[in-house]
Amino acid sequence: MTNRRSNIAAAMSALGHPRRVRIYDSLAAAPEDGLRFDALMAETGLRSSTLIHHLKPMFAAGLVITRRKGQCVHHKLRPEALDPAIVALRDDAFANGA
């Protein structure tokens, strides 16, 4: 139960800031191979250090991954990483009569 709650908390925390939602939106609209870091900076309007700061919890929750494409590193969204949290929250809501 504690591990499940920790996973839900990590997933929700990964999107718990408006800048992280902006990053999520930018990556959701990105091409299938994702965005290079500099393109993600331009798309979100965030400075390098700020973007890194907000990407860390998104990486930790498995919501964002990187892929090397040639000499470039592309950041790619993994929205399916939210599925366990969404299912658990939905199941809890229905179990409690919501």
Side-chain angles (χ1 to χ4, degrees), residues 35-52:
L35 289 175
R36 292 184 332 264
F37 188 81
D38 60 335
L40 187 55
M41 277 183 16
E43 186 70 30
T44 60
L46 299 174
R47 295 178 316 162
S48 175
S49 59
T50 303
L51 183 55
I52 290 168

